Amino acid sequence: MPTNHILPTRVYYTIFAILMLCTFATVLIAFFDLGPLNAIAALTIAVFKAVLVVLFFMHVRYSTRLTWAVVAGGVFWLGILLALTLSDYLTRSWQTFG
Amino acid sequence: MSTVLLPPRHYLNDGYGVRSWLLTRDHKRIALLYLAGVTFFFFIGGAMAVLIRLELATPPGDLVTDETYNKLFTMHGVMMVFFFLIPVIPSVLGNFLVPIMIGAKDLAFPKINLLSWYIYVVGGLFTLYALISGGLDTGWTFYTPFSTVASTTNVIPAALGIFITGFSSILTGLNFIVTIHRMRAPGMTWFRMPLFLWSTYATSLINVLGTPVIAITILLVAAERVFHFGFFNPAVGGDPVLFQHLFWFYSHPAVYIMVLPAMGVVSELVAAGCRKPVFGYSFVAFASLAIAVLGFLVWGHHMFVAGESVYSALIFSILSFLVAIPSAVKVFNWTATMYQGAVSWETPMLYAYGFIGLFTIGGLTGLFLAAIGVDVHVTDTYFIIAHFHYIMVGGTIMGYLGGLHYWWPKMSGRLYNEGLAKLSAGIIFIGFNLTFFPQFVVGYLGMPRRYHAYPPEFQVLNVLSSAGASILGVGYLIPMVYLMWSLRYGRLAGSNPWGAVGLEWTTSSPPPTENFTETPRVTWDAYEYPASVETDVA
Amino acid sequence: MPPLFPERASTIAARVDALYFFLLAIAIFFGLLIAGLIVYYAVKFHRRSPSAVGARIHGGMVLEVTWTVVPLLITMVIFVWGASVYFAMAHPPDETLNIYVVGKQWMWKFQHLDGQREINELHVPVGRAVKLITTSEDVIHDFFVPAFRVKADVLPGRYVTIWFQPTRPGRYHLFCAEYCGTRHSGMIGEVVVMEPNEYETWLSGGAAEGSLASAGAKLFQDLACNTCHRPDAQGRGPMLEGLFGKTVTLQSGETVTVDEAYVRESILTPSAKITAGFQPIMPTFQGLVTEEQLLALIEYVKSLQAQPQVTAK
Amino acid sequence: MLPEAAHHHPAGLAHQFDNLEQQKEAATLGMWAFLTTEILFFGGLFMVYTVYRSSYPDAFAAASHELVVWAGTVNTAVLITSSLTMALAVHAAQLGQRRLLIVFLLLTMALGCVFLGIKAFEYYTEFVERHIPGLNYDFEPKYFRNAQLFFSLYFLMTGLHALHMIIGLGIMAFMLWWSVRGVITAEYYIPIEISGLYWHFVDIVWIFLFPLLYLIGRHAH
Ligand code: HEA
Ligand code: HEA
Ligand code: CUA
Ligand SMILES: [Cu+2]
């Protein structure tokens, strides 16, 4: 039977520790004024945390290429939705009607 | 060959009671359940179209009130799009054929397949309730802020109905994707699959990636109506145009949900009708995927005059042209397939001709709309109505009817009356063009859509259109009659009445519950015809 | 014989039609090509014996490339052409006759700068570029004059501009082209294009209560705007003279151009963009002014443009 | 049902599959495909959020400031811990350690309940402070209108997330029942694995909701 990638529990505990640290860090950073960096930092940390969960807790790191493709596809499509909609919002004020 | 008999054991006689149908997990029976559902909604939607055309036969709004008229086209659009055209080919032909064509016993998740039919029915009931309890008048596009603050009709039940049905599309799409990835018979490689499967796969991708967005959009509209959240309400800083982005993010790709499966059917029909491999198999296959992906990048072409930015409009315009290319590639390949074929004039092939011709007209007029300068004039006029009916009615319904006729002997084990079938195909073709061609003209003249009354100078063209619709209606009723009739009195079909290749023609008609007596091993490409074929008809 | 082609009564109409005919030619060409080939092949290669089989042709690279690249090139031509027509539609010339338009369920209200108001009928002179500044009181409407080939959605909460230059006197259909509820098909009217001198007579003939800007000036008093916005920079609010069209710096450091939308926002949501150097004390007038009054105020603010010299005296 | 006795038939193998490996791959792919639909489902909300946050940054910051940040932080920690216990539950299932599996499932569910409890407390706080649009909304006049958009998004996003948690708890209850009954074995642990995927996904959604709703703009006040 496919008892392949059974990870040692150590991996899970390590990831858990990193995730908790990240949570602490993101809350901490939020209380300092870094200008636009605040939002960037918060989102970067969130992406990092999500990637850890996906790769290790959800075993994608050890999964087939197809699973990778599905995950990447979902994120990519979300990107399409955001990018093309924002292409409207960000350029609306460019209109220079006399 | 007169020894054709019904197989002793097949999916239709494997249990007779109501429960054996309503609790079935056999994809073939579920396909028939869907057949009943979509046909029902087609005739309801069609009845509303008849009333619309009756009203528009004269310029003043005299047959029904303006309120009723608005409800008519709204419910017509909603029923036809969400409850007929989106499910029709995937759920009926797809359900029946996907497992058989790849040599599997069933879909990957048979229970989920049954569940999606029930979800579809429940969604349909909600929408029917919206219809019966007074209707809905927002247009099928639910534009805000009209749908959220102004309309006093049954927005919520109808929205819920669409929301629920969406899950049925998602689950069906998911089932097909997993099945095609994981359940192919030994030797059935991706590039040996019939093209119908490629297009079904592409359609399923859209279902899975697009439908959730319409679900959340509808939820936002409902929340806005109930709690007055204000996402789309300028009074609290919301932007009504944001709704349109969300709506079309799904609803443009959805038009490819409606046409891709029909394209897949037509590939099968052309191959079998010419007894010949489809010209440029891999180009047609990849064109399906290209349409599915590019189809997600063009939604803003519905918003050229809606207040989106000039620059955004340019991006969406150029992308819309790009998505037309793979469709063009397909049309050319189908046509080229006929070259040196053994071309049949049987009913399925007639529908295939109809599809290619009418889809081409519909598609080419899509280019008019993608060209922003022209779209500004024709958007929201009857030109649009004509454009999409050419593709959806002239294209998809023709493809569907062609497929239904082609696989009918497989599904039922019996042949229909060829003469009547050809006659009704002709009536449908003529009626169709008479209905919708004048609408291009009246659209360019400037007649806006969703108009209950119109200036008298548009009358002649509208009368032509109404006359065409009556012919079309008759054309659609005839197949109902002879197909039903064939169930009892039709000649037995045998396993391969068309002399076609493909796994579905190697099993009996109707197929056994497990589809094949033993799992097939595939060693040949799709559409590989031997030097001559034998048909198998009583 | 009913008309089969719409009248052409604006400068842009001919350009739209030219592209339309080009597209029509392409559509007819490809339509006939495909239909012709289908019929020809269906007859020529008609299956003659029940066991006949077609030739084993799998494809051809040259053909595939041809029918990918040729349509691609054609569509790119259409794209550029369509975009250039659209650009012309989107950018009004510098000198325009401005008219304000308010759509509401289910009528069109027009407000001329000289004070005339009209409902469902719009009078404009021939040969001059007309710019409409449109907004809606309720849901989305759409201003559509087929003879001019212009159309744009009229949005609540925003100002959408539409421009056209009529070329022929006459009466033309005006339709609401965005579905807006029960009497959507009744939200129609006429655009009356007149010779310039007739137009002048019409303008002076109307019982105007003074120009739109003067109505705005009166409102400015009545709503007590002038208690804070004074012409001498002594008020608690910024001086509005010469403001329109300029850029102002906000508290956040950003800059914005003062256009109709900005003035509107300043009146309805003053807190959204605070001008640098001022306190956020301006009250909101949301719900206190109608869309039409807003337009009058905007026009008044615009008219303050020319006055610095006058007030300087 | 069909007689299926002809060949060896492992427990849990459905008739349409050839073997458990194929069934596992199908189920996993099915769940992942489903999760992509979830990405786009929440994605629609993220888009609405992005548009309005960038249009009204000040009002959003002011409104965000009203949320109970410690509660959000604790809840983040709770969910991450529940993800850990979920991962350990899958691990136990893979090894066929039934007792451990049950313990971890129970822990996961308990943490899920704690999360919902804290969430309910937060909702109550917002109710008391009159922040619920359509019900009892009130806010400082300066940001009255636009802050409403923030709270609408807050309730919709966290509400849908909470709904997913509740569904997740239902699934976990089901898994618990199967584990107790011994349906889950080292050979047939797929159900736990794919339920775990769902649970982790719901966690990821929160990982994004937390900074977006509670943290960005926090320093400004
Ligand atoms: C199944 C449905 C379907 C399909 C497949 C399409 C296909 C296309 N559609 Fe259509 N469309 C609709 C259904 C569909 N549409 C609906 C329902 C609406 C209105 C919704 C509403 O508002 O209610 C609409 C509206 C619509 C608009 C918005 C109009 C408006 O509201 O202002 C636009 C604009 O770009 C557009 C463009 C296109 C294009 C470029 C294609 C292309 O994919 C077409 C590609 C096909 C071809 C090009 C034909 C084959 C080609 C040849 C034979 C060779 C020659 C080719 C070239 C030279 C390129 N469509
Ligand atoms: C799959 C999609 C689909 C299909 C198949 C059709 C089919 C038809 N449609 Fe429609 N249509 C839409 C999708 C579709 N439509 C959409 C999305 C809109 C836009 C809605 C909106 O603006 O919101 C629209 C709008 C629309 C309009 C514009 C209304 C307006 O803007 O004011 C018109 C007008 O002619 C029309 C006509 C027709 C006709 C004549 C048919 C014919 O093909 C129908 C033929 C079928 C029959 C005629 C049924 C046969 C049965 C009988 C005759 C029995 C009758 C039974 C009883 C009376 C009990 N449709
Ligand atoms: Cu106003 Cu339609
Ligand atoms: Cu589209």
Side-chain angles (χ1 to χ4, degrees):
Chain A
M1 268 294 88
T3 45
N4 23 16
H5 33 262
I6 295 184
L7 301 178
T9 48
R10 179 171 36 84
V11 175
Y12 296 125
Y13 288 114
T14 315
I15 299 298
F16 171 73
I18 302 177
L19 289 174
M20 284 305 222
L21 271 177
C22 287
T23 307
F24 178 72
T26 191
V27 175
L28 199 68
I29 291 175
F31 285 91
F32 294 95
D33 188 353
L34 308 173
L37 276 182
N38 273 106
I40 294 172
L43 284 177
T44 316
I45 294 179
V47 169
F48 179 66
K49 283 160 78 179
V51 168
L52 287 185
V53 174
V54 169
L55 289 185
F56 294 97
F57 283 180
M58 297 169 92
H59 301 160
V60 167
R61 187 157 189 284
Y62 313 95
S63 299
T64 55
R65 293 240 305 279
L66 183 59
T67 310
W68 281 87
V70 175
V71 178
V75 175
F76 179 71
W77 251 258
L78 178 60
I80 294 179
L81 173 64
L82 292 172
L84 282 176
T85 308
L86 290 180
S87 85
D88 177 13
Y89 282 90
L90 297 180
T91 60
R92 265 193 207 169
S93 58
W94 291 9
Q95 289 180 3
T96 46
F97 287 122
Chain B
M1 287 195 294
S2 54
T3 51
V4 171
L5 293 173
L6 274 184
R9 200 177 64 84
H10 55 83
Y11 79 104
L12 290 170
N13 68 5
D14 187 359
Y16 287 102
V18 176
R19 287 193 54 194
S20 79
W21 282 90
L22 291 185
L23 296 180
T24 184
R25 289 170 209 162
D26 181 347
H27 63 102
K28 300 181 287 304
R29 287 192 164 203
I30 295 174
L32 296 189
L33 292 178
Y34 268 113
L35 179 62
V38 295
T39 310
F40 173 75
F41 282 110
F42 174 69
F43 279 96
I44 297 200
M48 292 180 186
V50 170
L51 290 174
I52 292 176
R53 285 312 332 164
L54 274 178
E55 166 65 68
L56 293 179
T58 55
D62 38 15
L63 179 70
V64 295
T65 62
D66 38 18
E67 233 181 299
T68 311
Y69 182 82
N70 297 341
K71 290 174 181 169
L72 281 175
F73 70 70
T74 302
M75 298 307 286
H76 166 71
V78 168
M79 298 279 174
M80 286 296 199
V81 168
F82 295 107
F83 296 93
F84 173 65
L85 210 60
I86 286 181
V88 62
I89 296 181
S91 305
V92 179
L93 299 178
N95 248 326
F96 194 91
L97 292 167
V98 168
I100 303 186
M101 281 184 162
I102 59 171
K105 296 196 201 98
D106 204 327
L107 289 173
F109 310 115
K111 282 188 217 159
I112 290 186
N113 195 22
L114 179 64
L115 177 69
S116 48
W117 183 74
Y118 276 100
I119 294 178
Y120 167 77
V121 170
V122 172
L125 289 178
F126 267 92
T127 311
L128 277 181
Y129 166 78
L131 173 70
I132 292 165
S133 65
L136 167 78
D137 73 344
T138 59
W140 82 281
T141 49
F142 287 89
Y143 271 19
T144 55
F146 181 74
S147 64
T148 46
V149 296
S151 176
T152 52
T153 54
N154 293 308
V155 178
I156 294 195
L160 272 179
I162 295 170
F163 180 82
I164 294 170
T165 314
F167 285 95
S168 152
S169 305
I170 292 178
L171 292 178
T172 305
L174 219 139
N175 224 332
F176 286 165
I177 290 179
V178 174
T179 305
I180 292 176
H181 269 288
R182 292 289 182 232
M183 313 278 288
R184 279 171 285 128
M188 176 59 83
T189 60
W190 282 87
F191 288 96
R192 281 181 180 160
M193 292 197 315
L195 288 165
F196 178 70
L197 293 181
W198 278 93
S199 68
T200 304
Y201 182 80
T203 311
S204 305
L205 287 183
I206 308 180
N207 271 325
V208 164
L209 292 164
T211 319
V213 177
I214 192 77
I216 190 69
T217 311
I218 285 175
L219 218 55
L220 287 172
V221 169
E224 186 132 354
R225 268 184 90 84
V226 179
F227 304 113
H228 307 287
F229 276 173
F231 297 127
F232 308 125
N233 183 359
V236 297
D239 178 10
V241 179
L242 182 58
F243 167 85
Q244 297 177 24
H245 278 296
L246 287 164
F247 178 84
W248 290 115
F249 178 83
Y250 165 74
S251 293
H252 178 82
V255 310
Y256 297 114
I257 297 180
M258 299 184 239
V259 82
L260 274 170
M263 291 173 152
V265 168
V266 167
S267 296
E268 300 301 311
L269 299 185
V270 169
C274 302
R275 295 228 179 102
K276 186 169 172 297
V278 172
F279 195 89
Y281 171 98
S282 50
F283 287 88
V284 179
F286 280 121
S288 291
L289 292 183
I291 291 174
V293 174
L294 290 172
F296 273 97
L297 307 178
V298 307
W299 76 81
H301 66 206
H302 296 272
M303 301 164 60
F304 286 153
V305 302
E308 77 179 339
S309 93
V310 177
Y311 304 92
S312 211
L314 291 182
I315 297 174
F316 283 121
S317 169
I318 192 167
L319 290 169
S320 301
F321 285 113
L322 292 187
V323 78
I325 305 299
S327 299
V329 168
K330 286 192 170 198
V331 168
F332 289 122
N333 277 300
W334 291 321
T335 313
T337 304
M338 291 176 69
Y339 177 71
Q340 291 202 356
V343 182
S344 114
W345 292 353
E346 284 152 328
T347 313
M349 199 57 186
L350 296 187
Y351 279 112
Y353 301 147
F355 175 96
I356 300 174
L358 300 179
F359 170 75
T360 299
I361 299 179
L364 285 165
T365 52
L367 300 180
F368 290 51
L369 309 178
I372 323 180
V374 172
D375 184 66
V376 168
H377 175 57
V378 296
T379 185
D380 283 321
T381 68
Y382 266 79
F383 197 93
I384 307 289
I385 304 285
H387 156 67
F388 68 72
H389 283 90
Y390 258 84
I391 297 187
M392 308 208 295
V393 182
T396 305
I397 295 190
M398 291 267 174
Y400 167 64
L401 286 177
L404 194 65
H405 283 83
Y406 178 59
W407 284 294
W408 187 258
K410 183 56 60 185
M411 300 167 89
S412 69
R414 290 173 186 272
L415 299 172
Y416 51 82
N417 181 315
E418 180 70 19
L420 278 176
K422 281 189 173 140
L423 178 72
S424 67
I427 295 179
I428 290 175
F429 186 79
I430 293 170
F432 171 81
N433 282 294
L434 188 56
T435 311
F436 294 107
F437 196 81
Q439 295 186 358
F440 282 123
V441 182
V442 84
Y444 201 77
L445 269 172
M447 174 163 165
R449 62 191 285 201
R450 298 170 171 174
Y451 259 34
H452 166 237
Y454 56 87
E457 71 256 33
F458 300 147
Q459 186 175 13
V460 175
L461 291 160
N462 272 292
V463 168
L464 286 178
S465 178
S466 298
S470 339
I471 299 177
L472 188 56
V474 175
Y476 285 135
L477 283 176
I478 303 175
M480 284 291 287
V481 177
Y482 64 75
L483 287 180
M484 285 299 169
W485 187 87
S486 78
L487 284 182
R488 229 193 134 85
Y489 307 103
R491 281 187 301 144
L492 295 180
S495 57
N496 190 359
W498 306 110
V501 295
L503 282 182
E504 77 268 33
W505 303 113
T506 63
T507 186
S508 61
S509 307
T513 302
E514 298 273 284
N515 293 343
F516 300 94
T517 34
E518 60 190 272
T519 307
R521 286 188 177 275
V522 184
T523 52
W524 58 91
D525 286 351
Y527 320 120
E528 284 301 328
Y529 278 85
S532 81
V533 295
E534 278 189 25
T535 56
D536 177 9
V537 181
Chain C
M1 191 63 193
L4 293 177
F5 199 77
E7 285 171 285
R8 223 181 261 164
S10 77
T11 47
I12 201 78
R15 292 190 64 182
V16 174
D17 289 348
L19 175 54
Y20 178 71
F21 287 129
F22 176 67
L23 280 159
L24 216 55
I26 289 174
I28 291 172
F29 173 77
F30 279 103
L32 287 182
L33 178 74
I34 299 293
L37 282 177
I38 288 179
V39 173
Y40 176 70
Y41 288 162
V43 174
K44 174 132 197 264
F45 301 114
H46 180 211
R47 186 184 295 170
R48 298 216 163 67
S49 95
S51 62
V53 167
R56 281 204 185 195
I57 305 171
H58 284 96
M61 202 53 174
V62 179
L63 278 175
E64 300 289 351
V65 172
T66 315
W67 61 50
T68 307
V69 172
V70 171
L72 185 67
L73 293 179
I74 296 177
T75 53
M76 286 308 104
V77 173
I78 305 174
F79 165 70
V80 173
W81 191 341
S84 74
V85 174
Y86 175 59
F87 259 65
M89 290 171 166
H91 292 281
D94 291 338
E95 280 302 309
T96 50
L97 171 68
N98 292 359
I99 298 170
Y100 289 97
V101 182
V102 177
K104 69 172 275 207
Q105 285 175 326
W106 290 276
M107 60 162 91
W108 293 105
K109 296 190 278 192
F110 300 99
Q111 175 75 64
H112 295 261
L113 294 192
D114 288 346
Q116 281 82 356
R117 296 147 168 276
E118 301 185 75
I119 287 184
N120 292 345
E121 207 175 45
L122 172 64
H123 288 77
V124 289
V126 72
R128 264 186 81 183
V130 177
K131 186 168 89 180
L132 306 178
I133 298 156
T134 70
T135 191
S136 161
E137 263 178 37
D138 37 48
V139 300
I140 302 178
H141 301 279
D142 186 295
F143 184 94
F144 176 33
V145 183
F148 297 165
R149 314 282 190 276
V150 297
K151 182 186 285 137
D153 277 12
V154 171
L155 298 164
R158 265 171 73 181
Y159 292 115
V160 174
T161 45
I162 308 168
W163 83 274
F164 53 83
Q165 181 167 333
T167 51
R168 272 185 22 207
R171 302 179 79 88
Y172 303 102
H173 283 300
L174 158 64
F175 295 123
C176 173
E178 185 61 78
Y179 176 68
C180 55
T182 312
R183 302 234 309 109
H184 161 62
S185 63
M187 192 165 161
I188 56 178
E190 272 185 337
V191 178
V192 185
V193 178
M194 312 169 94
E195 293 295 351
N197 51 348
E198 283 176 45
Y199 176 72
E200 289 307 324
T201 341
W202 176 84
L203 262 191
S204 50
E209 317 103 41
S211 74
L212 185 59
S214 65
K218 184 162 180 307
L219 270 174
F220 202 74
Q221 307 275 335
D222 295 350
L223 294 168
C225 313
N226 58 347
T227 53
C228 300
H229 297 286
R230 300 183 11 187
D232 52 7
Q234 301 298 312
R236 287 185 291 164
M239 216 171 87
L240 301 183
E241 276 71 10
L243 182 69
F244 199 87
K246 298 275 157 34
T247 27
V248 293
T249 311
L250 303 180
Q251 218 175 46
S252 60
E254 292 167 75
T255 56
V256 285
T257 315
V258 180
D259 56 7
E260 289 91 355
Y262 176 74
V263 178
R264 173 199 177 85
E265 188 182 32
S266 293
I267 299 172
L268 296 183
T269 326
S271 64
K273 298 201 174 72
I274 309 291
T275 317
F278 289 90
Q279 292 302 309
I281 50 164
M282 174 164 163
T284 168
F285 288 84
Q286 174 88 31
L288 299 177
V289 288
T290 64
E291 290 293 345
E292 281 152 288
Q293 290 175 323
L294 266 175
L295 293 177
L297 284 171
I298 290 173
E299 190 54 30
Y300 173 65
V301 173
K302 271 191 191 174
S303 73
L304 291 173
Q305 193 89 314
Q307 280 180 353
Q309 305 96 318
V310 184
T311 41
K313 268 197 277 188
Chain D
M1 280 276 34
L2 295 159
E4 199 74 44
H7 48 89
H8 166 68
H9 194 80
L13 178 62
H15 80 99
Q16 71 272 22
F17 295 109
D18 296 332
N19 53 46
L20 274 176
E21 178 68 22
Q22 189 192 27
Q23 178 168 355
K24 176 183 177 213
E25 285 182 347
T28 314
L29 177 59
M31 183 43 102
W32 274 109
F34 178 74
L35 293 183
T36 56
T37 71
E38 291 275 24
I39 294 181
L40 281 138
F41 184 76
F42 281 101
L45 287 175
F46 284 125
M47 191 183 93
V48 176
Y49 172 91
T50 314
V51 166
Y52 291 132
R53 173 127 222 160
S54 55
S55 309
Y56 311 115
D58 296 341
F60 268 52
S64 158
H65 204 70
E66 298 293 313
L67 299 185
V68 193
V69 69
W70 68 260
T73 313
V74 172
N75 253 350
T76 311
V78 167
L79 263 198
I80 289 177
T81 316
S82 83
S83 259
L84 172 70
T85 56
M86 187 68 235
L88 293 173
V90 176
H91 184 82
Q94 286 174 323
L95 294 176
Q97 300 162 327
R98 190 157 73 135
R99 181 132 306 165
L100 216 50
L101 166 62
I102 292 172
V103 168
F104 280 126
L105 283 180
L106 280 171
L107 269 176
T108 308
M109 291 175 69
L111 288 165
C113 292
V114 171
F115 177 91
L116 288 175
I118 295 182
K119 197 79 239 160
F121 159 77
E122 286 188 71
Y123 279 6
Y124 175 73
T125 318
E126 304 307 331
F127 175 79
V128 171
E129 296 189 359
R130 306 174 62 79
H131 286 155
I132 307 186
L135 189 65
N136 65 357
Y137 179 72
D138 199 6
F139 204 74
E140 59 173 301
K142 197 169 145 198
Y143 296 124
F144 182 86
R145 296 194 319 141
N146 300 336
Q148 186 173 339
L149 289 175
F150 177 87
F151 285 109
S152 302
L153 273 168
Y154 168 78
F155 282 107
L156 211 62
M157 292 172 114
T158 57
L160 280 175
H161 177 262
L163 186 68
H164 278 76
M165 291 289 297
I166 293 170
I167 294 172
L169 284 174
I171 296 175
M172 287 308 143
F174 210 70
M175 288 303 118
L176 190 65
W177 167 239
W178 275 17
S179 312
V180 171
R181 274 194 18 213
V183 178
I184 305 294
T185 59
E187 202 185 33
Y188 183 63
Y189 70 94
I190 319 166
I192 302 285
E193 161 108 21
I194 64 171
S195 317
L197 290 180
Y198 179 85
W199 190 268
H200 293 305
F201 175 81
V202 178
D203 184 17
I204 290 179
V205 172
W206 182 261
I207 287 181
F208 283 98
L209 289 185
F210 175 57
L212 291 180
L213 295 173
Y214 292 77
L215 296 184
I216 296 182
R218 167 75 40 186
H219 58 84
H221 290 257

